[in-house]
Amino acid sequence: MKLWINPTRIPSIEVIKYKQEANMKFPYGISDFRSVILENYFYCDRTDRISKLEREKYQLFLRPRRFGKSMLLSMLENYYDVAKKDEFNALFGHLKIGKNPTPLRNAYFILKWDFSCIDASGSLEDIRQSLYDHINDCIEEFILNYKNYAIPKIRINSTNALSSVKSLTNAVQMTGRPVFLLIDEYDNFANEVMMSANRSVDHYEALVKKEGVLKTVFKNIKSSASSSMFDRIFITGVSPVVMSDVTSGFNIGESVYFEMDYNDLCGFTEKEIRDALSQLSPDVNAQSNAPTSDSDGAQGEASMAVVEALNIMKLYYNGYCFSYDATQPVYNPTLALFFFKKLQRSGRFPENMFDENLAMDEAKLIYISTIEGGSQLIIDLMQKGQTVETHEISQKFGIRRMLSNTTHDRSFLISFLFYFGILTFAGRTDEGKKRLAVPNLIMRRLYVERLNEMLIPEPVKRDAGRDAAEKLYTRGEIGPLCTVVEQTFFTVFRNRDYRWANELTVKTAFLTLLYNDLLFIMDSEKEIDRRYADLTMIIRPDMRHYQLFDILIEFKYVSLSDAGVSGETARALSSDELAVLPPVRCAMADAEKQLRAYGMALNEKYSDLRLKSYGVVALGFERLCWCEVSRNNA
């Protein structure tokens, strides 16, 4: 965790009220490109990538869930669809591609499938029929869309959609115009089957192996592509797992998801975020309490509003790099639109920065934590600056590898978390390894929640821990929280062979109980004047009107051997006896010295800091000693 210090001073005024512009429309939940453009919704232009995408005919593009893949496909659909030729200027004339369109614009019949529509419940036969029904429905839509193009009759086979596909390609071939096949969320329903608690690997493999229905579908797609009946294919999904399992069924696709040109193909850049916030910032000509002559002050408040909102969005939604060498991370577009819409509607930041309707693959972290090495990886990510290293991100791992302990090396675990957006690229090491990190506070919440459930499986004890944490940041009482850590986490740490046995482990225990991104910005281990702070909780700018304390904690660890005591002896010590042990007293003095330095740095950056600073010393995984360093001394 990194110590986060706002580059601007928090103003000691009421929360800034943002404009509620009626003419700004944010397409939250809307992935239809045509509607977004014609109805004048907010749109970040990615049409300049179309000419680059044309370099390959058959492409697989992966991104985490809710990352704008459907909007991308809809853009391609509208650009290449022959039936939309008359709308080209209205749709693309003002966009980048409109100034220099490619020769293939409006040159295709479009056939589009969305596998997220497939019902993954029921028997294998039920799933097969649901898939066939969806394909047939799409073919019927195809017939309606192109009824004016003299296409010979296409026969719909209700029991075998592959026969319907063959009828379509045969009919279209007679027209001399090619088909562009778009497949959205190719792995969605297969992933649901794979991750379902009541499914077996055999159930999943029955879909993707041998003559399984999904593999057969992709074999037919490959056959149609080989005979030029599907001239181009663009497939989106989340991970390569399903494609690995249908490998011989579709081995012609070019993987383009790591390419530098497409790092921001889905996602918003910081400039795009800033521009949108500028339109929502307070109107400099309509400040309710500002005199007409005070335009500079009004402009300052507008500028402060943009900086304040951008800082919040950067911490919660930014940080995604999908190319090995990308240097400019992107924002999650769905969550950014969620933020914009809430800000526009209420004039305030959303209280919960995470849209609960977009449950972010928490099941994937649960899966990782249940396999060998997975729980240690999660703990390491919370302790070691939230970064891990690997030589390579695997592009091929099927279900057998996912479920076999013999293949669960660290590279596999990291690769799995990367594809689901729970880790992201963060540069390279001096040795050339790829460094990956937890991208932002939203993703970190998933790790913390999983750690809490791993280390304290009993809900009643977790509730007691949260109650104790609340006493710290509302009353300034750290004693109850230390007691919970001693009685719960230390018992776990004593009984498990975790790699880290130092202040990092102790900090992890406190972090899992204290983490609250509804009220605080939580970050630590960031270098400040060549020093590092362990754990800070800075009240969010929009929450500073509540009666809360900013929290700063420095942790120290003293081993039992250094203290010259046994675990049994340590547990029998009184608080006063613990505090006067020479190694404990020395560690606490170091913590107090560091806290004074960090406190001064924080007070220089914030104009309205209500700081409570604490030193916490752990004696093994047995006892905790703590003290408060007053603000006056900091």
Side-chain angles (χ1 to χ4, degrees):
M1 306 294 293
K2 299 176 182 177
L3 174 60
W4 183 87
I5 293 186
N6 195 327
T8 60
R9 294 176 65 83
I10 295 177
S12 56
I13 59 175
E14 292 186 1
V15 176
I16 293 172
K17 188 80 171 179
Y18 292 77
K19 288 192 298 186
Q20 297 169 264
E21 290 286 343
N23 62 349
M24 283 197 74
K25 298 166 63 177
F26 295 104
Y28 173 70
I30 301 174
S31 57
D32 176 35
F33 175 85
R34 185 176 183 276
S35 296
V36 167
I37 298 301
L38 295 183
E39 297 176 29
N40 199 31
Y41 279 94
F42 173 82
Y43 177 68
C44 295
D45 191 356
R46 296 294 183 269
T47 59
D48 59 319
R49 313 305 165 81
I50 288 176
S51 58
K52 296 176 181 178
L53 289 170
E54 285 186 4
R55 293 180 297 195
E56 304 295 338
K57 282 200 167 190
Y58 315 123
Q59 300 177 77
L60 174 66
F61 181 75
L62 303 179
R63 283 296 182 267
R65 294 177 65 251
R66 306 296 187 180
F67 229 92
K69 299 186 295 294
S70 296
M71 174 61 80
L72 170 64
L73 280 190
S74 184
M75 177 192 76
L76 296 177
E77 175 188 0
N78 281 272
Y79 181 79
Y80 288 107
D81 191 351
V82 63
K84 304 248 178 43
K85 187 174 183 178
D86 292 342
E87 292 186 299
F88 182 83
N89 286 334
L91 292 175
F92 294 97
H94 62 296
L95 300 177
K96 295 173 183 177
I97 195 68
K99 309 299 188 292
N100 189 25
T102 67
L104 293 179
R105 79 176 198 189
N106 304 118
Y108 288 92
F109 293 127
I110 301 295
L111 179 62
K112 185 175 179 181
W113 300 339
D114 181 356
F115 283 2
S116 68
C117 298
I118 311 303
D119 185 358
S121 62
S123 65
L124 286 171
E125 179 57 29
D126 293 334
I127 296 173
R128 183 191 70 83
Q129 191 58 52
S130 180
L131 175 60
Y132 280 179
D133 289 345
H134 175 70
I135 292 175
N136 279 332
D137 289 343
C138 292
I139 293 175
E140 289 181 347
E141 184 178 4
F142 180 96
I143 294 170
L144 291 174
N145 288 341
Y146 303 111
K147 62 184 179 181
N148 297 326
Y149 285 82
I151 300 175
K153 183 177 177 59
I154 299 172
R155 296 185 304 275
I156 302 294
N157 188 327
S158 61
T159 60
N160 185 358
L162 300 181
S163 175
S164 306
V165 173
K166 183 64 174 176
S167 178
L168 180 149
T169 54
N170 287 341
V172 169
Q173 193 172 33
M174 301 296 291
T175 70
R177 186 177 294 278
V179 174
F180 196 143
L181 175 63
L182 302 171
I183 304 179
D184 199 9
E185 303 289 356
Y186 91 96
D187 54 344
N188 183 273
F189 79 91
N191 280 336
E192 287 187 19
V193 172
M194 177 176 60
M195 300 303 294
S196 178
N198 61 347
R199 301 290 186 182
S200 68
V201 63
D202 294 333
H203 200 107
Y204 168 83
E205 288 195 333
L207 295 173
V208 300
K209 298 289 188 180
K210 297 180 181 178
E211 298 306 316
V213 62
L214 189 55
K215 183 166 187 176
T216 303
V217 166
F218 277 98
K219 284 174 64 176
N220 275 263
I221 294 171
K222 176 183 174 182
S223 176
S224 295
S226 300
S227 59
S228 299
M229 287 182 283
F230 287 152
D231 185 64
R232 289 182 175 272
I233 302 170
F234 195 91
I235 302 172
T236 73
V238 173
S239 85
V241 174
V242 176
M243 194 59 74
S244 296
D245 283 328
V246 300
T247 177
S248 62
F250 189 80
N251 54 10
I252 60 174
E254 181 80 13
S255 301
V256 298
Y257 39 91
F258 286 149
E259 293 192 17
M260 185 69 173
D261 286 342
Y262 307 138
N263 182 61
D264 65 347
L265 184 57
C266 292
F268 297 157
T269 66
E270 183 160 315
K271 182 182 184 305
E272 290 163 340
I273 296 290
R274 184 187 296 273
D275 289 346
L277 290 172
S278 295
Q279 296 182 63
L280 290 171
S281 65
D283 191 339
V284 299
N285 296 317
Q287 297 296 318
S288 59
N289 297 320
T292 305
S293 60
D294 192 19
S295 59
D296 290 342
Q299 181 66 55
E301 183 171 339
S303 177
M304 173 64 73
V306 173
V307 171
E308 186 177 272
L310 183 64
N311 283 335
I312 287 288
M313 293 188 72
K314 184 182 297 187
L315 286 166
Y316 284 87
Y317 302 150
N318 193 27
Y320 296 96
C321 290
F322 301 107
S323 174
Y324 292 139
D325 299 311
T327 57
Q328 297 298 321
V330 295
Y331 290 70
N332 180 300
T334 300
L335 291 175
L337 291 173
F338 163 77
F339 182 94
F340 290 149
K341 194 163 186 176
K342 292 285 188 180
L343 187 64
Q344 179 192 49
R345 181 175 295 171
S346 67
R348 303 282 178 86
F349 301 161
E351 181 170 319
N352 188 349
M353 297 291 290
F354 176 57
D355 178 6
E356 297 292 350
N357 293 321
L358 306 175
M360 291 271 194
D361 291 303
E362 185 177 5
K364 308 306 184 297
L365 267 183
I366 294 175
Y367 158 73
I368 286 292
S369 69
T370 60
I371 62 180
E372 186 175 354
S375 59
Q376 185 63 60
L377 174 62
I378 293 173
I379 291 175
D380 289 351
L381 282 164
M382 289 294 94
Q383 294 181 339
K384 296 175 62 180
Q386 307 157 81
T387 63
V388 290
E389 300 166 1
T390 185
H391 284 289
E392 198 64 55
I393 295 295
S394 176
Q395 297 190 55
K396 281 198 171 184
F397 51 89
I399 186 66
R400 287 292 177 185
R401 185 176 181 191
M402 288 186 65
L403 299 180
S404 171
N405 286 333
T406 61
T407 61
H408 286 159
D409 56 21
R410 197 169 181 85
S411 176
F412 161 76
L413 299 174
I414 293 171
S415 298
F416 184 87
L417 293 177
F418 166 77
Y419 285 112
F420 287 93
I422 308 173
L423 285 178
T424 194
F425 290 129
R428 296 178 185 261
T429 67
D430 292 340
E431 298 78 25
K433 285 186 177 181
K434 297 169 182 64
R435 180 181 289 115
L436 291 97
V438 180
N440 49 49
L441 295 184
I442 287 293
M443 288 296 102
R444 192 180 309 161
R445 180 197 294 191
L446 297 184
Y447 283 91
V448 170
E449 289 176 350
R450 185 60 198 142
L451 266 178
N452 211 351
E453 292 175 4
M454 283 167 46
L455 300 176
I456 311 180
E458 300 89 348
V460 173
K461 290 185 178 181
R462 288 202 300 272
D463 287 340
R466 294 188 185 100
D467 291 342
E470 187 174 328
K471 290 178 181 177
L472 173 60
Y473 57 75
T474 59
R475 304 179 192 173
E477 300 174 8
I478 197 172
L481 185 61
C482 291
T483 299
V484 169
V485 172
E486 283 183 342
Q487 295 177 354
T488 55
F489 283 93
F490 279 7
T491 301
V492 174
F493 293 150
R494 284 197 300 268
N495 294 334
R496 296 189 184 181
D497 184 22
Y498 287 114
R499 182 180 300 138
W500 301 100
N502 54 28
E503 63 267 17
L504 294 177
T505 311
V506 179
K507 184 181 73 174
T508 299
F510 277 80
L511 174 63
T512 59
L513 295 174
L514 284 169
Y515 197 87
N516 184 334
D517 59 9
L518 299 180
L519 300 174
F520 297 93
I521 294 170
M522 305 187 61
D523 232 339
S524 64
E525 295 293 347
K526 181 177 178 64
E527 185 175 358
I528 306 173
D529 297 330
R530 299 184 180 180
R531 297 187 298 268
Y532 295 84
D534 281 340
L535 179 61
T536 62
M537 300 172 64
I538 303 299
I539 304 167
R540 280 173 38 174
D542 55 320
M543 298 293 172
R544 297 201 71 83
H545 55 287
Y546 292 119
Q547 297 301 308
L548 304 168
F549 291 112
D550 302 285
I551 301 296
L552 171 64
I553 307 177
E554 186 67 24
F555 298 98
K556 299 296 178 183
Y557 179 87
V558 175
S559 68
L560 294 174
S561 59
D562 286 345
V565 298
S566 65
E568 182 178 355
T569 300
R571 290 190 292 274
L573 292 173
S574 68
S575 297
D576 291 339
E577 291 170 334
L578 177 65
V580 298
L581 288 176
V584 173
R585 189 171 64 242
C586 181
M588 186 63 77
D590 287 344
E592 291 179 15
K593 181 179 179 180
Q594 290 174 272
L595 286 167
R596 293 188 183 97
Y598 301 145
M600 289 177 62
L602 287 169
N603 279 311
E604 289 175 0
K605 296 291 182 180
Y606 293 86
S607 62
D608 188 25
L609 200 64
R610 301 188 290 273
L611 187 64
K612 290 280 189 177
S613 302
Y614 303 91
V616 176
V617 178
L619 178 57
F621 290 147
E622 306 294 342
R623 298 293 304 282
L624 288 172
C625 178
W626 66 90
C627 77
E628 180 179 355
V629 176
S630 69
R631 181 172 179 177
N632 291 333
N633 291 334

